[in-house]
Each structure stands twice: as structure tokens, then as C-alpha cells.
Amino acid sequence: MNEISPEKIQKYYHQLLTEAEKAGYHLNSDLDLTLELVKSLLTNEERYGYQSCPCRWASGLKEEDRDIVCPCDYRDQDLAEYGRCYCALYVSAKATKENLSQPIPERRPSKEERKKKAEKEISHPSSLSLPVWRCQVCGYLCARQEPPEVCPICKATKDRFERFY
Amino acid sequence: MDIKQVEGRKAGKLMLYAISTCPWCQKTKTLLNELGVEYSYIDVDLVPEEEEDKIRREVERWNDRLSFPTLVIDDEEVIIGFQEERIRQVLKGKKQ
């Protein structure tokens, strides 16, 4: 595996920081940790073709790992409950030292549980004139034939949307 | 399986399951190195595909959330996540 250059890490860190602040999110101010996490995201992009969470065991199959592509589907819930996301790349403005030094539980359902959830989401009897799509990263909802190419709120890609109603 | 051994003073049987890209797993290795104890570890994301199921079942025996780092001490106690103080405490209680 190629070692990611420090310049590339710095550049991507600044990009993530700008995007995060613009959208009301915050990166961890522990710069050593944050740069390690950014490096790992780039490593995973090279390895798997997508930026899988550095602290989770990726399958190597994008369909199976969509929920843990950074920012993961669990980030906002963990920010609300623990002041940080699972790997601690993202933190809430109110995060305390305690939040950042203790590990938090894994919220991602097991492989079996994820499979069951996917099967449950097949039918959507609806009296609405259009389907409603939900961004699984930030919760943005929109009523249209297809989800947008990119979430207008958090910039997640189309494949992160689920049919909500 | 690609289990690595790290030499050091005996403090019971220590097995660490880790992810190679995870800084918290790295912090756990650094702490164990600093404490100078003997331990084994495996970076589960680097095992060959044909061994993945075996190692997954092994980790799930100790931690059904399949999260990392998972540190197993003497095949009985499990510390999940980088809990620095707890690791120090538990290993302090182990005989030299």
C-alpha cells in the first residue's frame, strides 16, 4: 500500500474542515488524532475505493459498507448522545474532555440486523403523489421522483438516500 | 493466521484484536508497549479473505458488537475500546 503523503493529508484535512464548519459540524481539535483519521480515510479510499470509517472493519463491498462510509449514518446520533462520532473525527461544539477520552459503544447494527432492516424497507404503500426520500447521513427529506445527486444539506451522495415514505 | 507477538514481561495472556487504520487501536498498542508487557495482536482488516470468517467468530465470542480495539486478558476479561485507565489498572494487578 502506498503511504499517503503529508501534503495530501493536510490538503484533505483543510477541505474536510471547511466543509464541516460550513454545514455546522466540527472536526476534533486534537490535531494529531484528526490527521491520523484523515490519513486512514485516504488509505481506505485507496484500499477499497471508498472512505470507510477508519475504526470499523470494512467488508470491501460498498453495498455492505455504505452506512459506514464517512460521514457514517450514525454520526449525528452519536454527536447528540456522546458529543462525538464513533471514531471521534467529528465532535459536537459542547464536547467535553471526558467525551473525547472515553470510547463510545458501537451503534451500527450487526450484519444480520442490517439485512433484516433492508428487507423491511421494500414496500411503501403511500397516498402521496410523490415518494419521500431521506438522507441517511443528516436526515434531510425531499419529495420527488428520485433522490438528488448530492444532498443539498450535507453533500452525501445519492446512494445514501432511503425511501422514507 | 497472522498473529504478531510482542515480547515483554509476562502479565498474563493478552490478545488484542485491532484495525490497522484505527488510531484508538494504535493507542492501545502504544500503551501496551509503554507498559512493556508481552502480548499478541492481529489487525483483522489485513487477514486474508479466506480467514475472515474464522477471526470474526473469534472476536464475536468476546465482543458481539465486533468493535475494536478488543483486548482479551487471560481468556476471561475483555476491555473494549481504548480505556487507558482500565487497561493500566487490570495489568497492574497481574503478577510480574
Side-chain angles (χ1 to χ4, degrees):
Chain A
M1 213 182 309
N2 292 333
E3 185 73 0
I4 314 283
S5 75
E7 296 75 37
K8 197 172 171 192
I9 297 167
Q10 280 291 339
K11 196 174 161 208
Y12 192 53
Y13 163 70
H14 286 289
Q15 184 188 329
L16 282 180
L17 184 66
T18 310
E19 283 169 6
E21 294 293 333
K22 216 188 276 176
Y25 288 96
H26 308 284
L27 295 190
N28 196 329
S29 61
D30 176 347
L31 203 55
D32 287 342
L33 178 79
T34 299
L35 290 174
E36 274 304 310
L37 290 164
V38 170
K39 178 183 174 188
S40 293
L41 286 175
L42 294 168
T43 302
N44 282 347
E45 181 160 19
E46 276 198 6
R47 269 176 84 180
Y48 305 119
Y50 51 91
Q51 293 186 3
S52 191
C53 174
C55 296
R56 289 180 165 115
W57 192 359
S59 69
L61 300 170
K62 192 164 184 197
E63 314 79 78
E64 279 186 25
D65 290 343
R66 203 157 269 144
D67 59 323
I68 54 166
V69 174
C70 186
C72 66
D73 289 4
Y74 315 104
R75 174 184 65 174
D76 286 16
Q77 267 179 292
D78 282 335
L79 285 175
E81 192 166 341
Y82 301 107
R84 52 171 282 197
C85 71
Y86 182 66
C87 73
L89 176 62
Y90 289 94
V91 299
S92 86
K94 287 178 284 186
T96 61
K97 218 176 153 202
E98 174 99 70
N99 287 142
L100 302 176
S101 62
Q102 284 300 315
I104 65 170
E106 168 64 295
R107 184 185 294 279
R108 186 189 199 201
S110 70
K111 199 172 171 182
E112 289 69 36
E113 291 164 338
R114 296 199 300 277
K115 213 174 137 201
K116 268 190 216 144
K117 181 175 174 261
E119 280 163 6
K120 239 173 59 188
E121 280 167 5
I122 294 169
S123 68
H124 291 271
S126 169
S127 55
L128 303 175
S129 59
L130 286 168
V132 177
W133 302 95
R134 175 180 177 274
C135 172
Q136 296 183 83
V137 176
C138 74
Y140 166 73
L141 296 174
C142 58
R144 45 189 279 175
Q145 286 301 347
E146 290 279 321
E149 286 301 314
V150 172
C151 173
I153 303 302
C154 76
K155 314 298 175 213
T157 49
K158 186 176 182 175
D159 58 352
R160 304 296 289 274
F161 279 78
E162 64 176 348
R163 175 89 184 259
F164 186 68
Y165 205 80
Chain B
M1 208 155 354
D2 202 12
I3 297 176
K4 305 247 180 14
Q5 314 288 340
V6 179
E7 300 298 318
R9 81 176 160 83
K10 304 252 188 295
K13 182 184 169 196
L14 304 182
M15 180 66 207
L16 173 67
Y17 299 93
I19 301 268
S20 68
T21 51
C22 168
W24 301 100
C25 295
Q26 190 52 52
K27 281 177 193 278
T28 308
K29 291 174 191 168
T30 305
L31 176 64
L32 294 176
N33 293 342
E34 182 198 312
L35 294 171
V37 292
E38 180 181 282
Y39 69 100
S40 307
Y41 74 89
I42 184 163
D43 288 323
V44 299
D45 57 316
L46 301 180
V47 304
E49 210 180 325
E50 61 273 17
E51 288 176 8
E52 275 180 12
D53 274 345
K54 185 168 173 264
I55 193 81
R56 174 173 293 115
R57 281 194 297 272
E58 197 177 311
V59 180
E60 277 173 342
R61 263 179 57 210
W62 300 108
N63 172 5
D64 62 359
R65 302 313 302 178
L66 202 68
S67 63
F68 303 89
T70 292
L71 178 63
V72 182
I73 300 148
D74 286 335
D75 287 327
E76 53 181 28
E77 189 167 354
V78 187
I79 301 181
I80 296 168
F82 178 60
Q83 301 186 47
E84 179 170 354
E85 277 318 304
R86 197 166 150 218
I87 295 173
R88 284 182 188 276
Q89 284 299 326
V90 168
L91 294 185
K92 206 187 267 178
K94 296 279 166 194
K95 61 175 182 282
Q96 301 278 324

